[in-house]
Amino acid sequence: ALCSIYLQWVSTGTIRCVEDGGHHRPNHLALASRDVFVSGERRLLNPPVDDVGLVRRMQPWLPSFAAEFTCSVPMTRIRDIAHRNDIPSDLKKEIKHTLQNKLHRNAGPEDLVATEALLGRVLAEEGNYSPDFVSEFRTFHAELKEFFNAGGTFELAGKVDPVVRHSSEGAADTLDRMWRARDSLEADGEGDGSLGGGTGGKVFELLRAITDVRSLILGKLAAPLLEYKDPEYNGHGKDQQVIDPFGEGIDERQRLRLAELGLERYAFVLLARVQGLVEAADGGGNSPPEVWSALAEATSLGLLHVGLSGFRPDECREAAAELAAAEAARGGEEGTAGALRVRAAAERAQRVVEEYTDAAVAALGPAATRLGAALGVPDTTARVFAEADVRAGVPFQLSRTLQTLHQAATALAGGDGFEVVVPGAAAGVLRQAPTLEVFEAEEKEAPSTKPTVLLVDAVTGDEELAGRGGNLSGIVLRRQQLPHLSHLAVRARQEGVVLVTASTVAAVDAVAALVGCEVSLDASAAGTTVEVLPEGTALGDASTVGNGASAGAAAAAAADSAVLAQQLEVLPLEAVTTANGGAKAAACAELARLAAQPDCTFAAPTGVCLPFGSLELADADADAGLASAVGAVEVALEGGNIEALDAACDAARAAAAASAAALPEPLLAEVLGAFPADSRVVVRSSANVEDLAGLSGAGLYDSVYDVALGSTEALRGAIGVVWGSLYTRRAALARRAAGLPEASAWMAVLIQPLLAADTSFVLHTHDPTGRAADAVCAEVAVGLGETLACAANSGSAWRLLARKDGGGVDTLSFANFSEALRVDAARGVVTETVAYQDEPLTASAEARVTLGERLAAAGAALESHFGAPQDVEGAVVDGVVHVVQSRPQPGVVVVATAA
């Protein structure tokens, strides 16, 4: 970062350069430039996937090191010009002192500025000079431009045309298409201002062409690199190794790099022109088809350029493909589905732009401030450097087109800029915080006396709400997509906290304008409002917010009923009960029994369990010190000492790991024997204080996916992780909020086969958003279900509302998570970038209806069997619905009626 900023400041005159008395001909700069360029190119051969182009930012500011500039006496033409006898003596002296001598002592970008100024004067009086002198001076100016790589976009592209033209089949046609499109647009001048044809058509033709040509050039730059020893390295290291991609000269590679950088900059110009044409055509919810098409294609092409620049290339490619496919299919979708799909694709693209911007500002901002302070650059210049750099790049133009497209799609889909995650009414002082953790710290410093509605920048999805000061009545999440059935959403429902996301810039701005006011937050299927409360409205006491009483009662009952094992043993799933293995494991046993019935509409995995008390028995055998560590946790909780709590929890988790490591081999062999050889399993938590009515504990304790059973070591480690998750700070504080003593918390370990899920789902059998009284609400994602459980990876799921009576399936949202966790037979769980245009649930309304009906049937059956609304998790594997968990749905009050 420092190097790229420094070179840019030198080249643009931000840093004033003075001579040091040395004598360095231009070849000195050329050879130094080659050193820097080669170092950068080595890094570009294997960049990180989130590369924001720090090396690429550096390359265009380097002088050329073509052969004519690395020779011992370069650019002799200016010497000959300075000694001509056909020009006035004063001009001869000026050329000699301001150009010839300066270039041969210490060449710099300022010399190009001086040459251009002098050439302008000569041309203004061209009749006073000989044609030969004018021609020679023009040639020298061109040479100096060449040295400082100051050519225009198409001038740079023209220099590499012969190399690229024969690089692959079809390359010549692609280049010819670019030149024709360039000529056509230039001939058009200002054009007719139309978007669908005329000027717009020519802009898009050139934008498509330069995208393809840039891809060709980058393909050439990715070719295997050779190395050679330069015998004329002139003091820069004898026998110095230098990259030579073509066996001819590294300078060819520099020309290729400059050409692709120039095409990227020109894409910025064309995208800006598209945005201007769109604004002239008046974008909005009822925009004409050509506006939607232009916005989608411009964004798709812009995303390709961001990927070509090295930032998350796979994600950029798939996001671009899905946006193009979504717009192409929009007209064929029924109702609002087409707009919802475009909106989902636009939100995925927005994440790419925001992630790039955050990464670039983080990399460039502090570096510019440090370097500016060291070199005396004005503070304002240094402070705005990162912002100015980002605003000059393709991602900035994308942010503009995406905002227009997202607003249009939201309007057409009938949205108000908010997504209701947990409906309800809340009131409180509107406050703002970057995270829930920061809000908690502020509350400890200065507790609120009134309830709070919090505008929060970002969440992970695993936060607890209980114990954060007891005053959260509502949360507005700023432009971060959150699965409606995620752990955080479940906890918000359980605690009675209203939760919405503000999904558009306008919605965020409207809420942010009210920070500091006493407001009401009303969220329902009909819409969301945030309004200032009438003066004199009583807010009530902060302590009245929350749902801790029911949680405490559930926890106390669970603790009293636990039955501990008297010896280490492995229980088959059918032998597990709530008393010996927890509600989660007991429910899995019941699911397996249901699935075994001939008329059941779903499958369920089997498994084995290490029951309650196993950790304590193993700890006694290993003498790992668990009991004393747990006692220290309790003491720290009672004293409110977070540092002591962290230390005690660390000790308890270490004891759990040591206990797992000491488990007898025959016991683990029994576990292995319950599964086929070389199976992969999930090692799941099942505590006595989770999956209960009033206390779900969703996501509070850890499960370990993808444990290979080739040996017992991986199994020991996973068991230790699950046992240890009973003693995290978050878990201990949650139990404290529920009124449960540490000594009454127990952990069983449930071990089941790892399902190779095509898709995973979370299902609430009672619609939590209140849209339909007799419908299930399902969220579905590609791959394993961890994507849905937390918000660490921002995105949305396919959200389906399906009537239990078969009365229809509504698509409420389309999936746009960037990545999915897939199970590979050889590699285990792998992360893949999702291509939604190839996913049936995106491409086919029929697929969504079919899955929705099957999930509604399964949900209705489970609700009937367990006698209450259920929170269900599962997966679809090769077309078969598998249910892996069913627990009481949080936040739903069941009213008993007389028979």
Side-chain angles (χ1 to χ4, degrees):
L2 291 170
C3 188
S4 64
I5 296 167
Y6 176 78
L7 286 170
Q8 182 171 339
W9 279 349
V10 168
S11 299
T12 57
T14 303
I15 299 175
R16 181 172 175 266
C17 298
V18 296
E19 297 186 56
D20 62 359
H23 191 85
H24 304 293
R25 294 184 186 275
N27 64 323
H28 177 86
L29 288 180
L31 292 169
S33 173
R34 185 167 69 179
D35 280 346
V36 177
F37 182 82
V38 166
S39 176
E41 290 298 297
R42 288 188 186 277
R43 292 175 180 271
L44 287 173
L45 289 175
N46 189 28
V49 295
D50 56 352
D51 179 31
V52 293
L54 296 181
V55 172
R56 296 177 68 261
R57 280 175 167 81
M58 180 175 66
Q59 306 297 50
W61 305 108
L62 295 171
S64 171
F65 39 80
E68 59 266 32
F69 302 121
T70 55
C71 62
S72 59
V73 186
M75 286 195 285
T76 58
R77 189 182 307 276
I78 191 63
R79 179 188 62 193
D80 297 337
I81 292 174
H83 289 83
R84 293 181 68 93
N85 294 320
D86 59 350
I87 58 176
S89 60
D90 58 340
L91 180 58
K92 183 185 297 188
K93 289 179 182 178
E94 183 178 1
I95 292 173
K96 181 176 179 62
H97 294 297
T98 63
L99 291 179
Q100 179 194 353
N101 293 346
K102 171 65 167 62
L103 281 170
H104 286 186
R105 289 194 312 270
N106 196 358
E110 66 277 7
D111 299 321
L112 179 58
V113 176
T115 300
E116 289 176 342
L118 186 54
L119 178 61
R121 286 164 44 198
V122 169
L123 294 178
E125 302 175 357
E126 187 171 355
N128 295 334
Y129 304 105
S130 70
D132 187 53
F133 163 72
V134 174
S135 175
E136 282 293 287
F137 202 79
R138 283 180 183 273
T139 302
F140 168 71
H141 175 250
E143 289 175 348
L144 202 57
K145 281 184 63 179
E146 178 83 11
F147 179 62
F148 287 111
N149 291 311
T153 295
F154 294 107
E155 182 180 349
L156 294 168
K159 291 175 182 177
V160 301
D161 183 307
V163 176
V164 179
R165 182 169 291 274
H166 305 292
S167 62
S168 63
E169 185 178 354
D173 291 340
T174 301
L175 282 160
D176 290 341
R177 181 160 51 86
M178 180 184 74
W179 296 124
R180 288 195 301 271
R182 188 274 311 267
D183 294 343
S184 176
L185 186 59
E186 287 183 352
D188 192 51
E190 292 297 320
D192 59 9
S194 67
L195 184 61
T199 300
K202 293 176 181 180
V203 169
F204 273 108
E205 184 59 34
L206 184 53
L207 183 55
R208 296 181 200 111
I210 66 170
T211 306
D212 293 340
V213 171
R214 189 172 174 225
S215 181
L216 286 173
I217 295 173
L218 285 165
K220 192 74 174 171
L221 286 167
L225 299 178
L226 309 174
E227 293 188 350
Y228 75 103
K229 293 181 180 180
D230 185 355
E232 298 183 8
Y233 213 48
N234 292 352
H236 285 257
K238 190 175 181 181
D239 294 337
Q240 175 70 38
Q241 296 269 333
V242 180
I243 294 178
D244 178 14
F246 307 109
E248 296 174 356
I250 186 63
D251 57 303
E252 188 72 77
R253 185 176 185 89
Q254 187 185 38
R255 285 192 287 271
L256 285 164
R257 179 64 68 193
L258 292 171
E260 72 94 359
L261 289 167
L263 291 174
E264 179 188 23
R265 291 191 296 271
Y266 201 75
F268 171 89
V269 174
L270 292 176
L271 287 169
R273 194 162 180 182
V274 169
Q275 182 65 22
L277 293 170
V278 165
E279 291 171 358
D282 189 25
N286 296 316
S287 300
E290 60 266 23
V291 169
W292 284 81
S293 178
L295 288 169
E297 185 174 9
T299 303
S300 295
L301 291 169
L303 283 169
L304 292 178
H305 277 280
V306 175
L308 289 172
S309 298
F311 185 77
R312 302 193 62 191
D314 291 345
E315 172 63 4
C316 288
R317 182 182 62 253
E318 296 302 348
E322 166 53 14
L323 187 55
E327 170 53 23
R330 181 172 61 88
E333 293 278 7
E334 292 186 7
T336 61
L340 289 171
R341 181 178 175 184
V342 171
R343 185 175 71 178
E347 287 167 347
R348 182 182 188 181
Q350 282 177 323
R351 290 200 305 270
V352 174
V353 172
E354 290 165 1
E355 289 165 6
Y356 173 90
T357 301
D358 291 345
V361 169
L364 295 170
T369 300
R370 286 171 52 210
L371 188 61
L375 298 177
V377 172
D379 180 62
T380 302
T381 301
R383 278 192 292 105
V384 302
F385 178 84
E387 178 186 350
D389 184 274
V390 169
R391 291 176 68 88
V394 167
F396 172 71
Q397 292 297 353
L398 282 181
S399 69
R400 299 176 67 207
T401 59
L402 279 166
Q403 182 175 339
T404 305
L405 181 61
H406 186 265
Q407 288 176 345
T410 298
L412 191 60
D416 59 2
F418 292 92
E419 287 281 344
V420 179
V421 181
V422 178
V429 178
L430 182 61
R431 295 169 58 186
Q432 186 171 357
T435 65
L436 287 170
E437 287 76 11
V438 171
F439 169 72
E440 181 179 8
E442 292 174 350
E443 278 297 292
K444 289 180 179 177
E445 188 73 21
S448 302
T449 58
K450 295 180 178 180
T452 297
V453 175
L454 185 66
L455 175 62
V456 64
D457 292 345
V459 297
T460 66
D462 280 330
E463 295 92 342
E464 289 295 321
L465 295 180
R468 292 195 183 273
N471 65 340
L472 269 178
S473 62
I475 296 174
V476 180
L477 182 57
R478 179 196 292 263
R479 295 194 68 195
Q480 180 184 350
Q481 296 163 291
L482 182 73
H484 288 204
L485 309 183
S486 64
H487 289 156
L488 178 61
V490 167
R491 293 166 192 159
R493 248 172 236 112
Q494 184 169 293
E495 294 295 323
V497 177
V498 179
L499 176 58
V500 301
T501 65
S503 59
T504 65
V505 173
V508 171
D509 290 346
V511 176
L514 303 181
V515 169
C517 301
E518 294 184 355
V519 302
S520 64
L521 168 62
D522 290 296
S524 69
T528 298
T529 59
V530 182
E531 298 175 333
V532 176
L533 286 169
E535 189 173 348
T537 302
L539 286 176
D541 194 293
S543 62
T544 62
V545 180
N547 190 33
S550 63
D560 291 341
S561 63
V563 174
L564 307 185
Q566 300 303 303
Q567 62 181 14
L568 286 171
E569 60 180 334
V570 177
L571 296 180
L573 189 58
E574 58 267 22
V576 177
T577 65
T578 300
N580 64 19
K584 179 190 291 184
C588 287
E590 187 62 18
L591 289 172
R593 281 189 283 271
L594 284 173
Q597 298 177 6
D599 58 345
C600 187
T601 59
F602 59 83
T606 58
V608 295
C609 181
L610 301 182
F612 292 149
S614 298
L615 167 58
E616 291 69 23
L617 290 169
D619 170 69
D621 291 344
D623 193 20
L626 178 67
S628 61
V630 172
V633 170
E634 188 71 57
V635 170
L637 286 168
E638 290 176 357
N641 188 330
I642 292 298
E643 290 185 1
L645 176 60
D646 286 343
C649 286
D650 288 345
R653 289 197 302 276
S659 301
L663 284 170
E665 196 70 22
L667 182 84
L668 297 176
E670 187 176 350
V671 173
L672 266 61
F675 302 94
D678 298 324
S679 292
R680 295 182 181 275
V681 297
V682 181
V683 179
R684 306 176 66 187
S685 65
S686 184
N688 64 326
V689 284
E690 64 174 331
D691 284 17
L692 304 171
L695 185 65
S696 72
L700 196 57
Y701 306 107
D702 291 343
S703 293
V704 181
Y705 290 88
D706 193 26
V707 179
L709 296 184
S711 70
T712 58
E713 290 310 305
L715 183 58
R716 290 179 191 276
I719 292 171
V721 169
V722 173
W723 277 345
S725 70
L726 194 61
Y727 302 109
T728 62
R729 181 211 287 190
R730 191 160 58 90
L733 289 173
R735 290 193 293 273
R736 181 74 175 180
L740 178 67
E742 287 302 300
S744 298
W746 312 99
M747 178 66 75
V749 179
L750 174 63
I751 304 164
Q752 293 185 291
L754 176 65
L755 298 177
D758 299 314
T759 56
S760 295
F761 62 85
V762 176
L763 170 72
H764 282 185
T765 64
H766 178 89
D767 175 25
T769 65
R771 287 182 175 85
D774 192 32
V776 304
C777 184
E779 290 191 322
V780 186
V782 177
L784 297 178
E786 187 61 19
T787 303
L788 291 168
C790 72
N793 294 319
S794 183
S796 65
W798 289 288
R799 191 172 302 118
L800 306 176
L801 190 69
R803 275 68 179 177
K804 298 174 191 174
D805 60 2
V809 177
D810 296 332
T811 300
L812 305 181
S813 73
F814 280 72
N816 66 13
F817 289 108
S818 298
E819 296 175 334
L821 299 172
R822 301 266 200 181
V823 178
D824 181 89
R827 298 177 294 161
V829 175
V830 296
T831 302
E832 294 183 356
T833 303
V834 183
Y836 283 104
Q837 66 276 12
D838 298 329
E839 292 293 330
L841 290 178
T842 288
S844 169
E846 182 181 357
R848 296 192 296 274
V849 170
T850 299
L851 179 60
E853 290 174 346
R854 296 176 68 189
L855 294 181
L862 290 168
E863 185 176 76
S864 174
H865 180 80
F866 288 107
Q870 295 292 293
D871 175 358
V872 183
E873 296 180 19
V876 179
V877 182
D878 294 331
V880 177
V881 173
H882 295 251
V883 176
V884 301
Q885 185 168 312
S886 188
R887 59 188 171 207
Q889 182 176 329
V892 179
V893 178
V894 181
V895 179
T897 56

